Amino acid sequence: MRSLSDTLERLARLKSLGREQTGAPSHLEELSGFGSNPGTLAARIYVPSLLPEHPALVVVLHGCTQTASGYDHGTGWSKLAERHGFVVLFPEQVRANNGNLCFNWFLPGDTRRGQGEAHSIRQMIETVVSRYGIDTSRIYVSGLSAGGAMANVMLATYPEVFAGGAIIAGLPYGVAATVPEAFDRMRGQGLPGAAALQSRLRAASTHQGPWPTISVWQGTEDNTVAAANAQAIIDQWRAVHEVGSRPDVDEMVDGQSKTVWKDARGRQVIEYYSIAGMGHGTPIDPALGDENAAPYLLDVGISSTLHSARSWGLLGEGEEPRQAKSDRPTRASTSSRQAKEPEGIQQIIENALRMAGLMR
């Protein structure tokens, strides 16, 4: 049986998955009427003012205690969509499902094809495709933490829907079914081996390929979701892409480590960004003008939004950051301090009790 102190620590960890952002300006509209919605999720959408014929779609999943508009304000997805003419869908958790606004990435009833939250998100996508004439060969998904884990759920259960996905501080598919198991996996404890991970991915659907490309982002000082999860995600997807354990490319991008696995045709199918000194959060670059730092939206001088959009072919040719990276200092250590936010024991206990529903 777990001790009280361990239980309180685990409950407090939910807090470190994100903070609700209030007061951020919202450019998003409500998406309604998207089906039976078995997961009872909400949804918001951004449609650019000049919508091209058959645009691409990016599905963006926020982290715990975050909102769709707050996460968009930090990551700049809607501003990028306005300039480049693609649609962004923001599924949004509600407190009736999860008091901390976490997507329920570990509950079997919400993570199986045709069920719960996963099916609600699929219904949202179908609705947006129909209403806005989306190019079904250019649908992508990105998410942070619980949203990153849910992004992997979507990629695993509906692989035929997505061309690619970015999993930021997320977890492998199918590794937890209860809250205690979820906490253990977040810590990197009890993760299955590569063969078991790959088996769970194949069992998630009857799909035989082609498979979506995978981008994994992880901070080296993330004390909320251990870096072992990033390697486990890579291991989970290696078999379907028929790539080995060793990467084909090892390079530095914007001062950070990027490794790439290529398939037999030379196509980049898995990439991994390891962000030195970064804690738990989405790596952003406010110097580009569209992104805003906040708790768990970390100014580390590299934009996961921009790099994901570029790798998916959503940007015009020649689109480059507006300030040369070589002219800017690295801010990973500062962002890591932002993510850790030390607290006193009394505050930790009070926060944990609130999250457990034992205190208001």
Side-chain angles (χ1 to χ4, degrees):
M1 183 174 180
R2 301 189 188 281
S3 67
L4 175 61
S5 61
D6 184 57
T7 300
L8 290 173
E9 179 187 355
R10 286 164 176 264
L11 290 169
R13 276 294 177 93
L14 286 172
K15 180 171 178 288
S16 66
L17 288 173
R19 293 280 176 80
E20 185 166 8
Q21 301 150 20
T22 58
S26 177
H27 308 284
L28 311 181
E29 297 180 0
E30 182 182 359
L31 177 72
S32 59
F34 53 80
S36 61
N37 191 15
T40 61
L41 297 176
R44 297 190 177 274
I45 189 170
Y46 185 83
V47 180
S49 54
L50 295 176
L51 186 66
E53 188 176 7
H54 305 307
L57 171 65
V58 179
V59 181
V60 177
L61 298 163
H62 62 79
C64 290
T65 72
Q66 294 176 319
T67 63
S69 61
Y71 192 68
D72 176 53
H73 181 68
T75 57
W77 271 110
S78 65
K79 293 180 180 178
L80 201 65
E82 176 65 25
R83 287 204 307 276
H84 295 282
F86 59 88
V87 177
V88 191
L89 168 65
F90 295 86
E92 189 170 54
Q93 186 59 282
V94 299
R95 292 198 185 278
N97 292 337
N98 186 294
N100 298 295
L101 300 180
C102 310
F103 290 102
N104 289 309
W105 60 270
F106 54 90
L107 295 180
D110 284 309
T111 59
R112 292 182 180 137
R113 186 181 177 100
Q115 296 184 24
E117 293 177 12
H119 191 49
S120 289
I121 296 170
R122 177 69 183 104
Q123 289 180 331
M124 295 175 197
I125 294 170
E126 289 177 333
T127 300
V128 173
V129 167
S130 176
R131 290 182 187 176
Y132 300 101
I134 299 297
D135 179 350
T136 57
S137 70
R138 295 196 298 152
I139 300 176
Y140 306 90
V141 63
S142 175
L144 164 66
S145 194
M150 185 57 79
N152 202 23
V153 168
M154 298 307 297
L155 291 162
T157 55
Y158 295 99
E160 77 282 5
V161 171
F162 300 99
I167 303 163
I168 305 169
L171 295 98
Y173 173 73
V175 295
T178 66
V179 170
E181 288 180 354
F183 278 119
D184 283 342
R185 305 305 176 263
M186 288 162 58
R187 289 177 168 178
Q189 298 172 358
L191 289 167
L197 289 166
Q198 292 161 8
S199 176
R200 293 177 194 187
L201 173 61
R202 289 192 181 277
S205 76
T206 59
H207 187 64
Q208 298 299 312
W211 297 88
T213 61
I214 301 298
S215 179
V216 180
W217 296 74
Q218 179 74 40
T220 63
E221 294 187 13
D222 190 334
N223 295 319
T224 299
V225 175
N229 285 283
Q231 184 58 56
I233 294 168
I234 294 167
D235 286 341
Q236 186 163 62
W237 285 92
R238 283 195 296 105
V240 294
H241 283 299
E242 299 181 342
V243 298
S245 59
R246 298 185 62 178
D248 299 289
V249 178
D250 218 331
E251 60 184 347
M252 298 298 290
V253 175
D254 296 346
Q256 304 296 339
S257 170
K258 176 186 177 184
T259 49
V260 175
W261 286 257
K262 296 182 179 181
D263 65 12
R265 295 179 295 164
R267 187 173 65 116
Q268 295 189 10
V269 290
I270 301 175
E271 60 182 17
Y272 174 36
Y273 286 86
S274 178
I275 312 301
M278 190 180 79
H280 187 66
T282 295
I284 65 169
D285 187 0
L288 299 177
D290 291 341
E291 304 172 14
N292 298 277
Y296 312 102
L297 291 159
L298 306 180
D299 177 6
V300 291
I302 183 170
S303 168
S304 56
T305 300
L306 187 66
H307 281 286
S308 296
R310 182 182 291 121
S311 71
W312 296 334
L314 302 181
L315 309 184
E317 291 188 13
E319 173 76 11
E320 294 293 338
R322 288 182 279 282
Q323 184 176 352
K325 299 294 181 183
S326 59
D327 297 335
R328 301 203 327 252
T330 299
R331 291 183 292 277
S333 59
T334 300
S335 300
S336 180
R337 289 195 298 272
Q338 291 175 345
K340 291 177 181 175
E341 296 187 316
E343 299 175 292
I345 184 63
Q346 181 66 29
Q347 186 176 355
I348 290 175
I349 293 173
E350 289 179 0
N351 288 331
L353 291 174
R354 287 191 188 96
M355 290 173 190
L358 301 176
M359 178 178 177
R360 292 187 178 275

